[in-house]
Amino acid sequence: MSRQTPLWISLGLFCTPPLLLLLLGPLLTKPLTHHLLKAKEEELLAYQAERSQLLSHDLLAQLSRFKFDCGPQDMALLRSPDYYNRHIRFAALQPAKGQGCSTLGPQWPFVPEVKLSPSADFQLTSTAPRFDTEREMLVYARRNDNLAYWVLDSSWSHELLRTPCKGCFYLEFNHKDPALAGLFFPRGNKQIRAESSPISTVYFDNQHQVEQTLLAGQALRQYAASQIRRYGLPISLLLGLGLVLTYWLLRNYRNSLDGLLRLAMQRGEFIPFYQPIVDSRSHEVVGHEALIRWRRNDSFVPPGAFIDYVERQGLIVPITEQLVRQVVADLEQLPPPQWVSVNLVAAHVEHSYLDEMLQRLRWPDPDRLTFELTERIPITDMQRAAREMANLGLRGYHFKIDDFGTGYGGFAYLQRLGIRRIKIDKMFVDTIGTQDLKRSVLDAIIAFGRESGMEMIAEGVESQDQIDYLAERGVYLIQGYAFARPMPIAELLHWQPPVKATAAMHASGA
């Protein structure tokens, strides 16, 4: 991947949300237009409900207090802020006898001809049309041949219809009561009614027998499109920036050791290499140790570069299971009774991880799958570990102590965990033929193992002299470059143990 590729990816991620907005904008305009229309209808209905409740209360209260003599009390009531409010444009009284009065003072010269039903307190009509102006609703009531009437203010509808955009709505009130047939109040942009494809919502008020129709057209669509651009563009740019930041965070994380390891687990990049364990007396292969390798791209990452980290981070448990699954599959290709030994850490036996893993694998053959307990991380819960290992021992599984004498456990592991197999570390094998003081430790380990009836495997053996030294002391199981290096399963299947260890040394270049 070129160095410029991340920059192109970042540019693509940044530009993708705005481009999607441009492409999806026309598709989003329609639902947003319908949403705005529905929201306006709900706003109108909520306002009308509040208005109707207020008017019903105020008109009844005012009507009950009129004396219908147009005296001081009637004039005070007509002009009282408690009644003469934002919903009333004009109010007037027409007594049965004498001159009338209004909020303006004198009698209104255009007293309407009204016919009030005896069973109704109030009746509706409209102001008379003049020069094609809007008609307004007129409410009137009769008390003992006295007449009171109110012209309702319709400015509220214009105010509500001007938001969120001017000329975007058209509203019609159509009275369906036969007694009020023809009572019709249009409000807003009348040109919408003449458009080819307006959208509308219809609400019918059963109580007052009024059908309310709200329409919207091209103006609202254009407004919706502008809002998508106005708010969608900054949001899409922020989203694009968020995608870029997320990309770089993930990229940096994946390039970190933790990210690379977790990605490697997902991809199954951890595989076993097998190093044969040979009986130096017969040169026959008795088993193999499975050594983890990280196959990254076309190369292999050595265990020393990551094994300590995965153990500290707790990743060794899932990685080991991934490795064991492959080992179990590879055992079918290896001739019995050859076995494969897999390394464990303390966590595997301090908890039920190993037991649960073997259950998931349907209990592989214990004569062919064994385990080595490393001492790099000490076992802290020795009682739990002993119990777990004893239970697995009942199923026939065997354990060895790897790198015996170099770690924390040593003889305590042998005593408390019941282990009868040890592997002598390369550190001690390397002292053979030298004056290193650790050679006495090697001899002590071998003597202890022989007297205790331990099975001993020497690892890291690189020369015939080392093989001979170990054989003289009863250590015959040899692992190391003296016979073979670790190799993948495909190579192992074609490998044959050399007749003499020196031949293997030349073949491996050691």
Side-chain angles (χ1 to χ4, degrees):
M1 182 181 292
S2 67
R3 293 182 179 180
Q4 293 182 347
T5 299
L7 297 178
W8 284 110
I9 293 176
S10 300
L11 180 61
L13 290 173
F14 182 74
C15 295
T16 295
L19 290 175
L20 286 175
L21 177 68
L22 293 176
L23 293 173
L24 298 177
L27 298 177
L28 297 174
T29 299
K30 183 176 180 180
L32 180 57
T33 303
H34 282 275
H35 170 74
L36 292 172
L37 180 67
K38 190 65 178 177
K40 180 56 63 178
E41 179 191 48
E42 293 173 356
E43 183 183 12
L44 288 167
L45 293 175
Y47 187 91
Q48 290 176 75
E50 178 189 357
R51 178 173 177 265
S52 178
Q53 183 178 8
L54 181 63
L55 284 173
S56 297
H57 175 272
D58 288 353
L59 296 187
L60 278 172
Q62 192 179 32
L63 184 62
S64 67
R65 297 178 64 186
F66 281 135
K67 290 186 175 182
F68 290 99
D69 60 2
C70 286
Q73 180 174 332
D74 284 351
M75 287 302 300
L77 285 171
L78 285 173
R79 293 181 173 180
S80 171
D82 292 337
Y83 304 111
Y84 188 45
N85 53 42
R86 60 191 173 96
H87 298 300
I88 305 296
R89 181 186 294 276
F90 179 83
L93 297 177
Q94 184 60 50
K97 297 179 181 180
Q99 292 292 317
C101 55
S102 70
T103 52
L104 299 178
Q107 177 178 335
W108 190 26
F110 305 104
V111 178
E113 294 291 335
V114 297
K115 296 179 180 180
L116 185 64
S117 171
S119 62
D121 286 328
F122 297 95
Q123 190 68 4
L124 301 178
T125 186
S126 67
T127 57
R130 289 288 188 275
F131 307 110
D132 197 31
T133 58
E134 283 187 353
R135 299 167 67 182
E136 295 188 295
M137 184 177 294
L138 189 147
V139 179
Y140 54 89
R142 190 182 298 277
R143 286 291 185 272
N144 300 323
D145 294 328
N146 300 302
L147 180 67
Y149 47 92
W150 299 264
V151 178
L152 303 186
D153 189 349
S154 64
S155 62
W156 65 273
S157 59
H158 294 285
E159 292 175 2
L160 292 181
L161 294 176
R162 277 196 290 264
T163 59
C165 53
K166 189 175 181 180
C168 287
F169 299 102
Y170 174 60
L171 178 64
E172 293 179 346
F173 296 101
N174 195 357
H175 290 258
K176 298 298 184 179
D177 188 338
L180 301 174
L183 200 58
F184 176 74
F185 298 97
R187 298 289 185 264
N189 184 4
K190 296 180 181 180
Q191 295 179 356
I192 295 175
R193 171 62 82 178
E195 291 184 10
S196 59
S197 57
I199 58 175
S200 64
T201 62
V202 179
Y203 173 79
F204 189 76
D205 182 351
N206 286 308
Q207 181 181 357
H208 300 99
Q209 293 293 293
V210 177
E211 182 180 80
Q212 173 181 297
T213 304
L214 180 65
L215 296 93
Q218 190 60 30
L220 187 61
R221 294 189 186 95
Q222 292 174 352
Y223 173 79
S226 69
Q227 293 302 103
I228 290 173
R229 292 191 297 271
R230 179 180 178 183
Y231 294 102
L233 185 59
I235 292 173
S236 65
L237 292 175
L238 288 175
L239 181 58
L241 182 61
L243 290 175
V244 172
L245 292 175
T246 302
Y247 165 72
W248 281 100
L249 288 173
L250 287 175
R251 189 173 186 274
N252 291 336
Y253 172 73
R254 288 193 171 190
N255 287 335
S256 68
L257 181 57
D258 188 78
L260 291 172
L261 287 168
R262 293 183 186 276
L263 187 62
M265 283 194 294
Q266 294 176 11
R267 295 176 175 175
E269 294 179 353
F270 295 104
I271 62 171
F273 269 36
Y274 299 95
Q275 188 169 30
I277 298 172
V278 181
D279 189 325
S280 62
R281 294 166 296 187
S282 62
H283 282 222
E284 291 182 356
V285 177
V286 296
H288 311 269
E289 181 181 0
L291 302 168
I292 191 169
R293 293 292 185 269
W294 179 5
R295 181 172 53 197
R296 187 162 183 255
N297 299 325
D298 296 328
S299 60
F300 289 95
V301 180
F306 64 89
I307 198 68
D308 288 339
Y309 182 83
V310 299
E311 289 179 355
R312 290 196 306 271
Q313 297 299 316
L315 298 176
I316 191 64
V317 173
I319 289 177
T320 300
E321 180 164 350
Q322 193 173 96
L323 190 75
V324 171
R325 287 183 180 275
Q326 187 61 53
V327 168
V328 172
D330 291 345
L331 276 171
E332 297 180 0
Q333 304 179 65
L334 297 175
Q338 292 181 15
W339 43 262
V340 174
S341 184
V342 178
N343 288 300
L344 303 176
V345 294
H348 283 101
V349 293
E350 285 185 316
H351 306 279
S352 300
Y353 296 141
L354 181 58
D355 183 89
E356 293 168 357
M357 177 182 69
L358 292 173
Q359 286 186 53
R360 286 191 290 270
L361 294 173
R362 298 184 179 181
W363 302 108
D365 186 352
D367 290 330
R368 306 202 64 201
L369 179 64
T370 66
F371 301 99
E372 298 180 13
L373 190 61
T374 179
E375 294 183 285
R376 285 192 299 270
I377 300 177
I379 295 175
T380 55
D381 190 347
M382 191 70 72
Q383 185 177 1
R384 174 68 181 273
R387 185 168 62 250
E388 290 290 329
M389 293 172 65
N391 290 336
L392 292 172
L394 295 175
R395 288 185 172 271
Y397 291 100
H398 304 286
F399 295 87
K400 308 178 185 68
I401 294 184
D402 192 20
D403 307 322
F404 182 76
T406 63
Y408 293 93
F411 293 99
Y413 282 12
L414 296 178
Q415 181 180 6
R416 301 184 65 181
L417 300 178
I419 296 176
R420 306 299 300 168
R421 297 168 177 80
I422 61 174
K423 295 188 74 174
I424 302 171
D425 189 74
K426 182 179 185 300
M427 177 178 68
F428 301 116
V429 173
D430 287 342
T431 64
I432 296 174
T434 71
Q435 299 301 316
D436 194 316
L437 294 176
K438 290 192 292 294
R439 194 180 68 181
S440 60
V441 178
L442 170 65
D443 293 339
I445 291 173
I446 294 174
F448 167 78
R450 187 172 60 248
E451 291 174 6
S452 303
M454 295 280 181
E455 177 187 274
M456 293 180 286
I457 300 174
E459 56 183 354
V461 179
E462 297 182 350
S463 69
Q464 186 63 46
D465 290 340
Q466 292 173 339
I467 294 173
D468 294 340
Y469 184 93
L470 293 166
E472 290 173 2
R473 289 158 178 77
V475 180
Y476 305 108
L477 300 183
I478 305 298
Q479 177 183 344
Y481 276 30
F483 285 110
R485 57 181 176 79
M487 64 192 84
I489 185 64
E491 186 176 338
L492 179 64
L493 294 176
H494 297 92
W495 176 83
Q496 293 292 332
V499 177
K500 290 188 176 293
T502 52
M505 296 291 292
H506 292 305
S508 64

